[in-house]
Amino acid sequence: MTILSKTGFNTLLQTIFENGCYSKAGRNATAKMVAGGGRALDMFLSAICDLPETTLHPRDVADTVSDVFGQFAKRDANCVIDRCDQIGEFQTFWAMGSATGQRSIDVLIDGLTSRDKYARWAAAESLIRRRSKRAVLALATALKDRSSLVKSAIVQAMKSNRIFRCAEALPALRRIIASKSMQKHSPGTWKTAKEVVEMIEEEAS
């Protein structure tokens, strides 16, 4: 682990938010910061309350913050998980998409029952990105989520990747198809759910 001085940290922070996570300079500075481990993450958490001035678009600033958390999670998932209360569920769950290890999968599966629909969506998306077989049944169960955002992410994943398709998902998929509200307000998800049902039935025959 690299020990960062306050001055060294601030220099890296400035570089990251001057250039953004999509630039070589931003990526290199993020890698150096992440090497500082938990202490560097604590410094970053304090710093994001008052980020340096930047010409980056607000969307790029948000992406860069998420990327830094993701890079910390990639290096050490526990470092991020243990700070979930400070980081917030959404950012923590999104960062877990870059992590490895069973604890991070457990956190994401638990995250599918968060009170916050955006946190549940982030948990679902990260499980999909991780392509974990342990997540298949949990995602099938999450098709019952009251948020169309969550349902849409899972249905699309089931269409795109066979690993997520399973017979256990059929009852929830059929409820989506039977829902007039889904057909009216989320026609894309409704249509995709029909396609996924056909795929599962064909694969089972």
Side-chain angles (χ1 to χ4, degrees):
M1 183 178 72
T2 302
I3 297 182
L4 284 174
S5 66
K6 182 69 174 174
T7 301
F9 173 85
N10 286 337
T11 299
L12 293 175
L13 187 73
Q14 188 75 41
T15 302
I16 291 167
F17 285 95
E18 278 181 356
N19 297 278
C21 62
Y22 303 113
S23 70
K24 182 177 181 180
R27 290 194 300 272
N28 288 341
T30 298
K32 291 177 182 177
M33 180 183 288
V34 166
R39 182 173 181 273
L41 179 53
D42 289 335
M43 295 168 75
F44 183 69
L45 283 166
S46 296
I48 57 175
C49 298
D50 186 23
L51 288 172
E53 290 187 13
T54 178
T55 58
L56 293 177
H57 187 277
R59 178 68 260 175
D60 292 327
V61 171
D63 286 350
T64 298
V65 169
S66 293
D67 179 71
V68 172
F69 284 133
Q71 293 306 312
F72 272 109
K74 185 176 181 179
R75 181 184 183 276
D76 181 3
N78 291 328
C79 180
V80 175
I81 293 168
D82 292 343
R83 292 165 175 79
C84 182
D85 287 346
Q86 299 128 280
I87 296 171
E89 284 189 330
F90 177 86
Q91 289 284 15
T92 298
F93 297 159
W94 190 258
M96 289 303 104
S98 302
T100 57
Q102 293 306 308
R103 186 186 178 199
S104 58
I105 295 294
D106 292 338
V107 166
L108 290 173
I109 290 173
D110 287 345
L112 293 173
T113 60
S114 168
R115 292 183 178 182
D116 180 353
K117 68 178 180 181
Y118 297 108
R120 297 196 304 274
W121 173 78
E125 286 284 359
S126 286
L127 285 169
I128 290 164
R129 284 157 60 196
R130 295 282 295 275
R131 298 180 67 183
S132 168
K133 291 182 178 179
R134 286 186 57 224
V136 172
L137 291 180
L139 289 169
T141 300
L143 282 170
K144 302 173 187 175
D145 197 288
R146 58 187 176 275
S147 169
S148 59
L149 191 68
V150 176
K151 286 195 280 272
S152 177
I154 299 169
V155 168
Q156 188 57 53
M158 287 180 169
K159 178 182 177 181
S160 302
N161 195 322
R162 184 171 182 169
I163 190 177
F164 297 117
R165 295 197 290 271
C166 60
E168 290 83 354
L170 286 172
L173 288 166
R174 288 174 177 141
R175 278 194 291 274
I176 291 172
I177 295 167
S179 170
K180 297 296 183 183
S181 177
M182 285 295 296
Q183 184 176 9
K184 179 179 180 181
H185 299 293
S186 303
T189 301
W190 180 83
K191 180 176 180 291
T192 303
K194 290 182 69 175
E195 295 171 348
V196 172
V197 167
E198 291 171 2
M199 288 175 169
I200 294 172
E201 291 176 338
E202 182 177 339
E203 288 161 1
S205 62

